Amino acid sequence: MDTQNGQPGGKVGSVLVVGAGIGGMQAALDLANAGFHVTLVEETTAIGGRMAQLDKTFPTNDCSMCTISPKLIEVDKHLNIDVLTNADVVGLEGHSGDFRVTVRKRPRFVDLDKCNACGDCLEKCPVEVPSEFDQGTMGRKAIFKRYPQAIPGGMAISKADRPPCVLTCPAHVNCQGYAALIADGRFAEAYQLICERNPFPAACGRICHHPCEAECNRREIDQPVAINNLKRFAADWVARKHAAGEDVAPPPIGEIDPAKARVAVVGGGPAGLTAARDLALRGYPVTLFEAHQELGGTMLFGIPAYRLPNETLRRDVAGVLAAGFEVRTSQALGRDFTLESLKQDGYRAAFLAIGCTRPAALTRSTDGSPMQGTDLEGVRLGLDFLREVKLGAKLGVKLGAKLGAKLGDGPKLHGKVVVIGGGNVAIDVAMTARRQGAREVEVVCLESREEMPAYAWEIEDAVEEAIRMNPGWGPHAIVGRDGKVVSVKLQRCTSVFDEQGRFAPKFDQATSSETSADCVLIAIGQRSDFSWLGENDPLWDPSKRFVHADKLSLQTHLDWVFAGGDMVTGPASVVEAIAHGHEAAESIDRFLRGADLAAGRQQPEPTPAGKPEGWFPLAERAVPPRLPVGQRQGYEEIEQTLDEAAAVAEARRCLACGVCSECMQCVKACTAGAILHDMLPEEITVPAGAIVLAPGFEPFHPHARDEYGYGRYANVVTSLEFERILSASGPYQGHVLRPSDRTEPKRVAWIQCVGSRDVQLGHDYCSGVCCMYAVKEAIMAVDHVEGLQATIFYNDLRAYGKGFETYYEGAKKNYGVRFRRGIISSIKERQQTKNLVLAYVSESGEVTQEEFDLVVLSVGLRPSASTGSLAATLGVELDRFGFCRTDPLSPSLTSKEGVFVAGAFAAPMDIPETVMTASGAAAMAAESLQEVRGTMVHEKTYPPERDVAGEEPRVGVFVCRCGTNIARVVEVDGVVEYAKTLANVVLVEENLYTCSTDTQVKIAETIREHNLNRVVVASCTPRTHEPLFQETLREAGLNKHLFDMANIRDQCSWVHFSSPVQATFKAQDLVRMAVARVATLRPFGDIRLDVDQRGIVLGAGVAGMTAALSLADQGFEVALIEREAEPGGVARQVLHLLDGADPQAHLARLIERVKEHPRVRLYTSATLEDFSGHIGKFKARVRQGNRMIEVGGGAVIVATGGTPYEPTEYRYPESDAIVTQLQLEEKLQAPGFARGLNEVVMIQCVGSREEGHPYCSRVCCQEAVKNALAIKQTNPQARVYVLFRDVRTYGFDELYYQQAREAGVVFIRFEPESKPEVGLEAGALRVTVTDDVLGRPIQLRPDLVVLSAGIRPDPEAEAVSRALKVPLNADGFFLEAHMKLRPLDFSTEGIFLAGLAHAPKSMAESISQARGAAARAATILSRPHLDRSGVVSEVDASSCAACLTCVRLCPYDVPVVTEEGVAFIEPASCQGCGVCAAACPRKAIVTRHYRDDQVAAKMDVLFDDALPEPCARAALKAGEHR
Amino acid sequence: MSENQPAQPAESFEPKVVALCCTYCAYTAGDLAGSMRLEYAPNVRIVKILCTGKVDAILLLRAFEDGADAVYVAGCALGDCHFQEGNLRAIQTVAHAKKLLAEVGLEPERLEFFHVPASAGPLFAQRANEMTDRARKLGPNLLRRSARQPAGGKLAKPPDAHPPLPQAKLGRLVHQADRTDVSTGGPAAPGDLPTGVQA
């Protein structure tokens, strides 16, 4: 690599191009091919832009993908184009010539160097979201490739902010992830994902208070997703499988490293168990101490079994224990061990999580005095009661109660039970009391019903079971008789909390009541057992109520001791305890490694993801089945688990707010290790001498036009959605179906101008392309569905471009497309059929209704959403619509020096115009940087090529497994073994990924080491990978053509996955074929052409002069040849422009500059006599008077112009009062002229859209509007009538059309069948026109008739066409190489075209196109040599009979018969298609690399019995035979 | 394959089909069929060529002579040819070679030209299936040059309806192919396609 940083004049020879659609790609290629380094910045994850989304293109119905995909590859492989996808321009410094641009690369989360797009991740990703590329007509995964042919080919992951459910969950359990997995039917994976953050899914699935659901964005649509029920479902599904003996979702097992520091965990509740598991999974030897005999903490003994059965919890605990830590039960802190003893026993860290297990006693009465009666018989602490019931033990038994007793064995109650307390425990106590025999249960609490701390749903459960709530009372005294409780005295509680929110109940001593009681259960809170802590222990919190622990790290005042869970927070939820467990494990790990405890943990509160955009159908939240109240006698669970179908349906309600759920399934699936979920955004600074903006457009979003029902009616789609429906890779694989029921629509309507020409919406410009794409879509729809009737509702059919009018007429004639002029007033959907009834006002004013199966909204173009901030960053001015403000006569110039614009950001435009303006912008950037051309480009050097002539073929075969992409189906070992048996094969190797960088290095070494002279790679497609492997050959000193590929992925494993044996046979065949062919291949190089670095421009009109000056300003000498005596062309007659620019001043400047420019040689009165040569070296002989001049150049631009039509109709030129628009323009120069006019009639389409001249002249409507406005401005009283067929003021010219109508210009439409008639009687004019609206003739008596005469091709175009051997179209204009992608090129390389020679167009368009042609030419002229593909046809002169077959058939007119009488094919011009070789009767012509023997070798060997038969071990095993 | 396989009815034989695909359209469509995971008959072997314009009748006959049970040329849609009109030439060549096949007694349906645009993954799969089915129905190609059992090895002897042809005759036809091919002249107009061409 060779980079110079020489910067003459402080300029940088590098250009930044923003937007990698067709415009950006074209600008990048033109600049890179002209010696500039290019950085191409693209917002999405792949290049290709809007064009890649289209199915076909008008007016040729070319397949959009066919035409764009070679460009994608060209950009991708270009040595001097750096493509930055998923990136935005966020900063700009410096000035024109020397910018520094800050580019922010958003994380892709996939390493493009490692990803080989195998797609394994796609199968595993559970999240499906609407595909942007497919406009939401189908889904894509969260990890995705923008489209199948996308470049870069690697995957990307889209992530929004993290979903609110995950952020809200204290333990950050991946709710969206497991919902997605459940929706995908992958319950075991869902379970494992939950377990990563929540080791107690079965328990939490029952008892969690699920704050996640309160934040679920789905609540904005209907109800939150039943997240907790999903968790329970996954856990219970796994439990059911385990019960059936299936080994699914095994719990994670830690690999304990005995050398690591030992850790003690104190407390076997959720916090302690979580921490112990996490630490064990990190390899630490952990001992867990639990005071009870069994693990589980409060979950075990504090929660009644009708909510959480013991065995359910035990399942969770068993999963946790699998991590591999030691458990010591019945070991209480302070009783059986101390912190000191732990330290002595060698524990280096401890985590305390002893929970809040001690019930609080009722000590104070409502009047503040000590509580009376707490020692009466029948008064108990609720928590003790619960524990007793749950564990089946007697009250008062010390810790470590006997386990295994049956439920219901606990204490029996009778009579009336009063429960004091309003929390969850109180409710549990109340419901348990009922089950233990209480006849009546009453809950008394301080709080009002609304304030009760118990969860609403728990209170409802209790109420359902006839438990009485008696809120708002404080216990004054417990009254007893005979030592037994009989009642509770209560006083009204007026408030529970003080103004600071502290617990400070106030009572109304005057209001009291008494409730009878046979038993009183007190459930007013619980606290930790801190009896083991000394008075001045450093662990105390200042309040002495808790142990102090740092909020972030949970570290206590003893550095090796950490504490968490209820003992530091007070009673909280299980999931909060789990969260502490995780944090403690993280802290202890850091502590033991000596790492900073806080680093990276103090993060700002992240913003949760909002509800995704779009429309979601309503769906009822799943309600799990519940045990009927009548059956709730025992401890059977009240709430049941969702069944599979309900769970999947519920999971599908998830909106995937975060897009990627970070479930890590892709990471597990990716054998290449390419996925990096922690990738961060990156900002880089790119030096650039100039900037080209091509950010494109976005389709108008029709939600703003509600009357069309878009989003509400399934069968109303946008035109871009319809493109995807048409596309073979779209939602219905190319079948035209309607979304509601996937049936073929028979009646399809297009509605034009949706979001265009709409003053109300502020989109009052014309989008320029919708008419034509609608015509195209209608044609394609008819083509797809037999009997489909297409109807287009339109205002003016704007078929103004080259070939458009013929296309439009063809749609009517050949496809029966109906065109209805009218405004749609409403669309209604039929309930049953989902058909759509359109009501429209026809031009005659009638309201008509018609029913359709599908309606397509032809949505307009508007600037992409991101262009606002882009423009602000760069300091580029926008117009009121948000398009880039440009110079009227230099349409690529923005308001900022050094920043140029191309494509639909400048104005709505179609593909060829985008390509032209892109080349135009490239030319301007190149002009501004001409002195630093070539200073920043790289050129690669290779070792000299080894001469292999005379050597026997020594073939190396490299067989790729492509991860599992090939190997999963094709038996790769079998292919390898088979390849070893083939002739000429000296070495066969197998690779996991043959395309990986290290494998390339290895292959290069292997080639040298084994002296290979041929290489075959059996892997994927040569379309994308051949250049890579050829590069490796070159680096190993082999000619790149001694290579072939066997596509055993795209053609075997991916398409024959259900017949692996056949796929293996086929893979062996493909390898055999490739080996056979590669042996026949011969080395050859590229063709190096010398370039004459001067340009030739034919025609010195505005286009020719602009092109010549652009080339000259880019540093090239130019010969400018004009047959007239003066330069200027047709433009000399254009005196002013619609947008107010002064064309004559511009023309004068151009003329002055071409005459004075040192690098321009202008030849006037010069005619082309003779022309010869090829790309890089052309020669033109020019006659100037008697003088013959020979000019040479490496590239030629044809800008020979067009000519105004001289009318013969409408009585022209019988009267001075009948004039053309050009003549009127001249007359209007006299200020008095307009004032003298009373009535003017303008007639449109004179000589255009006629038989013989079927094309639209594109500029006449604007001419008419311009002159009409000019008359009205001077003389508002004058009546001006414009008689038209369609007003085609496309783009922003639409605004002038509106202006003209507002100024009172009357537009009257006529049908071509009843054209206006011009009468001339005694010098008086009379015009009769049949008004299309009124349907009757109108008589006008103008004093001036103005004919809008069209543009005709240059009369001498045919001579130029013959001389240059470049074609004309049927209309007589020059025909470009490709209507869409090569609008400025001829198919003969090195010759370009611009201006009216190409087709009618405005002056601004000619200027832009001329610069574009100059940019194209500069790609040749900028280099002294040109390397072209050596795949060309060659004539064996000795066999040639000069029969002229090749001369006749070559599509490029390359072969000639030489003076020696034999055919000669100029390699510089040959394209290598091989038509001549196929047709040559004596087989005297061969096409390199595709010689007959080289093609036939593959077929011959395919059937050759002498060669070994393919075989597969799997085949033998399976008993399959060929 | 085993030498001892008993003779089996013609329907069960596995034909081998050669598909000559142009780089820019048909081959690309084949890749797309792969990306889209469209399953199709595994009998098709693709031979990539730069442009279908390079195909001549000799090459097509040679494929049959080699032993292909069916052959098809797949190129760009009309007007889409990267090399302007290679596909038009191929259409003519195929039409001509079909006649030659008929002359030597081989069913012309064994040969076809298809337009397969680059974006048409499903169409690619459909054409592959179609030609495989056709070959399966027609039975093995009996024109095979080698002495070996027909492809698939399932036929003990050819059915009487198709007596084997002398190789010499094919050789003559190959020469005739040259001459006739050339005489068909310039490119066909898009609206004027030889019969038997399918989009």
Side-chain angles (χ1 to χ4, degrees), chain A residues 1002-1284:
Chain A
K1002 210 180 85 189
I1003 291 178
E1005 280 167 14
T1006 310
I1007 291 171
R1008 283 188 289 261
E1009 195 179 315
H1010 293 267
N1011 210 24
L1012 301 178
N1013 56 23
R1014 302 283 192 290
V1015 174
V1016 167
V1017 171
S1019 61
C1020 51
T1021 173
R1023 281 191 324 108
T1024 53
H1025 280 69
E1026 193 171 54
L1028 173 77
F1029 298 128
Q1030 287 187 329
E1031 185 86 1
T1032 304
L1033 259 69
R1034 294 180 75 181
E1035 274 158 15
L1038 272 186
N1039 183 276
K1040 69 175 179 183
H1041 295 109
L1042 301 171
F1043 174 76
D1044 203 4
M1045 282 181 84
N1047 188 347
I1048 63 171
R1049 187 182 75 179
D1050 303 46
Q1051 291 174 15
C1052 291
S1053 62
W1054 276 0
V1055 289
H1056 307 314
F1057 40 86
S1058 22
S1059 24
V1061 175
Q1062 291 300 321
T1064 304
F1065 286 152
K1066 184 171 168 182
Q1068 290 170 332
D1069 271 353
L1070 295 181
V1071 170
R1072 172 160 65 151
M1073 290 158 77
V1075 169
R1077 175 166 184 260
V1078 83
T1080 67
L1081 296 179
R1082 308 179 190 186
F1084 59 92
D1086 287 345
I1087 292 165
R1088 171 152 285 203
L1089 307 171
D1090 289 338
V1091 175
D1092 178 345
Q1093 290 177 282
R1094 298 174 297 171
I1096 302 172
V1097 178
L1098 303 180
V1102 165
M1105 287 190 288
T1106 307
L1109 285 170
S1110 177
L1111 281 178
D1113 288 341
Q1114 290 183 64
F1116 309 109
E1117 283 183 23
V1118 188
L1120 176 59
I1121 298 157
E1122 170 58 46
R1123 63 168 178 259
E1124 306 279 331
E1126 271 301 312
V1130 193
R1132 279 178 294 185
Q1133 299 172 56
V1134 182
L1135 304 176
H1136 65 276
L1137 291 177
L1138 196 46
D1139 52 26
D1142 182 351
Q1144 289 307 309
H1146 183 78
L1147 189 63
R1149 268 198 308 278
L1150 280 179
I1151 294 172
E1152 190 191 324
R1153 281 204 72 210
V1154 291
K1155 286 183 172 167
E1156 288 177 358
H1157 201 294
R1159 285 192 284 267
V1160 179
R1161 278 168 301 140
L1162 173 66
Y1163 301 95
T1164 48
S1165 306
T1167 49
L1168 185 69
E1169 288 277 308
D1170 188 33
F1171 185 85
S1172 63
H1174 54 77
I1175 178 172
K1177 209 172 239 24
F1178 291 104
K1179 274 198 169 53
R1181 275 154 54 82
V1182 178
R1183 177 180 297 280
Q1184 201 177 28
N1186 295 326
R1187 205 157 64 102
M1188 287 299 283
I1189 306 154
E1190 194 174 285
V1191 294
V1196 179
I1197 294 171
V1198 177
T1200 47
T1203 181
Y1205 171 54
E1206 195 72 7
T1208 55
E1209 49 272 83
Y1210 300 119
R1211 312 196 73 145
Y1212 183 88
E1214 288 174 36
S1215 157
D1216 285 351
I1218 304 175
V1219 297
T1220 64
Q1221 292 285 5
L1222 283 176
Q1223 289 164 337
L1224 171 62
E1225 201 170 333
E1226 202 181 334
K1227 284 178 191 292
L1228 286 173
Q1229 292 300 103
F1233 183 77
R1235 275 197 284 276
L1237 294 169
N1238 291 315
E1239 183 165 313
V1240 180
V1241 171
M1242 296 182 176
I1243 303 175
Q1244 299 302 105
C1245 295
V1246 178
S1248 302
R1249 303 176 69 187
E1250 298 275 356
E1251 222 169 289
H1253 300 281
Y1255 58 90
C1256 165
S1257 289
R1258 190 174 174 123
V1259 296
C1260 331
C1261 286
Q1262 291 85 322
E1263 282 274 297
V1265 167
K1266 175 179 79 178
N1267 288 340
L1269 273 173
I1271 293 169
K1272 278 286 193 181
Q1273 267 154 19
T1274 322
N1275 178 4
Q1277 306 310 316
R1279 293 181 299 281
V1280 181
Y1281 297 93
V1282 179
L1283 314 185
F1284 72 101

Side-chain angles (χ1 to χ4, degrees), chain A residues 1462-1476:
Chain A
V1462 289
F1464 171 73
I1465 296 171
E1466 170 55 52
S1469 307
C1470 178
Q1471 303 291 310
C1473 68
V1475 163
C1476 53

Side-chain angles (χ1 to χ4, degrees), chain A residues 171 194-200 252-256 260 263 265 270-286 288 319-325 351 577-589 601:
Chain A
I194 299 167
C195 288
E196 282 178 18
R197 295 296 302 173
N198 185 341
F200 306 97
I253 298 168
E255 284 176 35
I256 308 299
K260 281 193 162 179
V263 182
V265 172
L273 284 167
T274 302
R277 182 194 75 150
D278 282 9
L279 287 163
L281 292 179
R282 294 181 195 216
Y284 289 100
V286 178
L288 183 137
V320 174
L321 292 176
F325 51 89
F351 176 51
I578 292 169
H580 270 187
H582 288 306
E583 292 307 322
E586 172 68 25
S587 296
I588 290 171
D589 180 36
R601 294 169 92 173

